[in-house]
């Protein structure tokens, strides 16, 4: 349930994004051990638990203290469940994963509850403090970063993580505006961005890509994804499944390349000496999957979701 939709949309009650495809992809075994690295509000976790027997195990992680509090309220009495607050980038450091995992799920991006609560600072549709941290007790807030970052750094973040073509113009406007007054509210930042941006014919708010970029930077989302994928591969048992839902091209590109790197031998290069034989450690399952028409009709936030599934092979390190 992690849409990268336009912030400010009202909350929608529905199953988590691509629920059926995720359950099919994970192929939950009755006595298996599974890790949900992005618990959110537990939609996928409940699906896994319904398929686990008394000998099964579900490990839950999330950076967000509100998500962890929700998990503890709902699952603390279930002996099959273990809960840890933290980034899935650190999953391999959790002792509970040491015996091996039969499935790992990452549902990337910002969650619906985070978007819908103005106080979290993710939304420009609902004015709130300019925070954007998934873990509000760790690292710099968006406001703090914008107060100290140089114009070139801001432009680079907007371009790299938001693919914002007007990144330099927006960065100049931010630096000029903060010289008069610091950015403390989401609406203030959104208005500053909109003031130097032409309206898109698609109707998308001019600040959409910039808010995405700043959020990704503040939370180190892409670096965490790369570390989490490595940790998942290291901890998966042979036959175990990795399922990742992404919501924008930057995330999906990382997941796609990770699976390809471990599933396919690199192309030969006649200019380089031959290396030792390639041994695949993953097998891609089903290619890129998207939400079906029925789900899109009831949950427009699923429109940008892409699910990729891979299985760890026998003999992989």
């Amino acid at each position: 349930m992690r849409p990268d939709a336009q912030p400010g949309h009202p909350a929608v009650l529905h199953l988590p994004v691509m629920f059926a495809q995720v359950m099919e992809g994970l192929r939950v075994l009755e006595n298996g051990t599974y890790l949900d690295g992005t618990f959110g509000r537990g939609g996928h976790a409940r699906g896994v638990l319904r398929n686990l027997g008394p000998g099964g195990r579900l490990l839950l992680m999330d950076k967000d203290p509100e998500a962890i509090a929700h998990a503890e309220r709902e699952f603390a009495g279930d002996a099959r469940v273990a809960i840890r607050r933290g980034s899935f980038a650190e999953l391999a450091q959790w002792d509970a994963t040491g015996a091996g995992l039969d499935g790992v799920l990452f549902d990337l991006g910002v969650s619906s509850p985070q978007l819908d609560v103005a106080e979290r600072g993710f939304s420009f549709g609902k004015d709130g403090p300019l925070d954007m941290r998934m873990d509000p007790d760790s690292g710099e807030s968006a406001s703090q970063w914008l107060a100290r970052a140089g114009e070139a750094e801001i432009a680079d973040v907007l371009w790299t993580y938001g693919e914002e073509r007007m990144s330099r113009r927006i960065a100049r406007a931010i630096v000029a505006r903060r010289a008069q007054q610091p950015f403390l509210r989401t609406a203030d930042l959104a208005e500053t961005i909109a003031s130097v941006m032409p309206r898109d014919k698609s109707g998308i708010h001019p600040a959409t890509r910039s808010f995405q970029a700043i959020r990704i930077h503040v939370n180190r989302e892409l670096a965490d994804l790369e570390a989490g994928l490595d940790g998942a591969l290291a901890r998966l048992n042979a036959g175990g499944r990795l399922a990742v839902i992404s919501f924008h091209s930057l995330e999906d590109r990382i997941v796609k390349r990770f699976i390809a790197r471990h599933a396919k031998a690199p192309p030969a290069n006649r200019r380089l000496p031959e290396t030792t034989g390639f041994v695949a450690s993953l097998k891609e399952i089903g290619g890129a999957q998207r939400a079906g028409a029925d789900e899109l009709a009831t949950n427009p936030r699923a429109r940008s979701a892409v699910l990729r599934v891979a299985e760890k092979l026998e003999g992989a390190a």
Side-chain angles (χ1 to χ4, degrees):
M1 193 164 59
R2 303 210 157 231
D4 225 351
Q6 295 178 53
H9 280 191
V12 180
L13 295 176
H14 54 74
L15 284 172
V17 168
M18 303 184 74
F19 178 81
Q21 292 103 310
V22 169
M23 293 300 106
E24 182 180 352
L26 286 175
R27 197 182 54 184
V28 178
L29 306 173
E30 184 179 7
N31 294 315
T33 300
Y34 294 84
L35 182 138
D36 182 347
T38 47
F39 173 77
R41 289 301 180 266
H44 290 117
R46 292 183 202 97
V48 172
L49 276 173
R50 281 199 293 270
N51 289 285
L52 288 180
R57 192 154 172 75
L58 177 61
L59 312 180
L60 303 176
M61 298 186 76
D62 206 294
K63 290 180 178 181
D64 191 326
E66 294 180 13
I68 291 300
H70 187 93
E72 289 172 343
R73 286 194 300 270
E74 185 164 354
F75 299 115
D78 193 325
R80 300 170 297 172
V81 178
I83 302 168
R84 175 179 170 121
R85 179 180 171 186
S87 169
F88 59 63
E90 302 165 352
L91 74 87
Q93 282 80 60
W94 188 7
D95 290 345
T97 68
L101 302 169
D102 297 297
V104 174
L105 169 65
F106 300 152
D107 187 1
L108 304 176
V110 63
S111 69
S112 296
Q114 289 167 335
L115 269 181
D116 294 330
V117 176
E119 288 72 24
R120 298 303 301 272
F122 291 103
S123 172
F124 49 74
K126 298 180 179 180
D127 184 35
L130 186 57
D131 194 308
M132 294 196 193
R133 288 174 295 176
M134 293 177 181
D135 180 353
D137 300 324
S138 178
E140 280 187 310
S141 69
S143 177
Q144 290 168 330
W145 177 71
L146 286 173
R148 68 156 185 84
E151 181 179 321
E153 181 182 354
I154 294 171
D156 185 56
V157 165
L158 300 185
W159 170 254
T160 303
Y161 299 136
E163 300 177 300
E164 175 53 73
R165 291 175 296 174
M166 302 293 183
S167 59
R168 293 180 182 178
R169 179 189 295 183
I170 295 169
R172 281 196 299 272
I174 287 172
V175 170
R177 165 62 174 71
R178 80 180 183 195
Q180 304 167 21
Q181 186 179 354
F183 287 99
L184 302 176
R185 309 287 296 182
T186 56
D188 193 12
L189 177 60
E191 288 168 8
T192 298
I193 295 170
S195 71
V196 296
M197 288 281 287
R199 271 283 179 179
D200 193 303
K201 292 181 180 179
S202 68
I204 296 175
H205 193 285
T208 299
R209 288 183 291 272
S210 295
F211 266 62
Q212 171 188 294
I214 294 168
R215 190 204 79 220
I216 289 172
H217 175 73
V218 165
N219 291 287
R220 299 184 71 256
E221 291 179 39
L222 301 189
D224 277 9
L225 175 56
E226 291 174 343
L229 291 170
D230 286 337
L233 180 58
R235 286 293 189 247
L236 277 171
N237 297 322
R241 295 284 183 90
L242 169 67
V244 184
I245 304 172
S246 58
F247 289 87
H248 59 74
S249 60
L250 297 175
E251 295 170 336
D252 184 54
R253 193 176 304 137
I254 289 172
V255 178
K256 179 181 178 180
R257 289 176 177 174
F258 177 83
I259 294 173
R261 185 166 69 250
H262 293 283
K264 303 173 184 176
N269 188 331
R270 290 178 296 176
R271 297 178 182 176
L272 296 176
E274 278 192 35
T275 58
T276 55
F278 172 80
V279 178
S281 53
L282 287 176
K283 176 178 69 173
E284 186 174 16
I285 306 294
Q289 303 177 50
R290 296 187 177 274
D294 289 346
E295 180 173 357
L296 292 174
T298 58
N299 181 14
R301 286 177 163 178
R303 69 186 182 279
S304 57
V306 178
L307 169 66
R308 293 187 186 272
V309 179
E311 181 177 310
K312 189 168 181 179
L313 298 173
E314 293 281 352

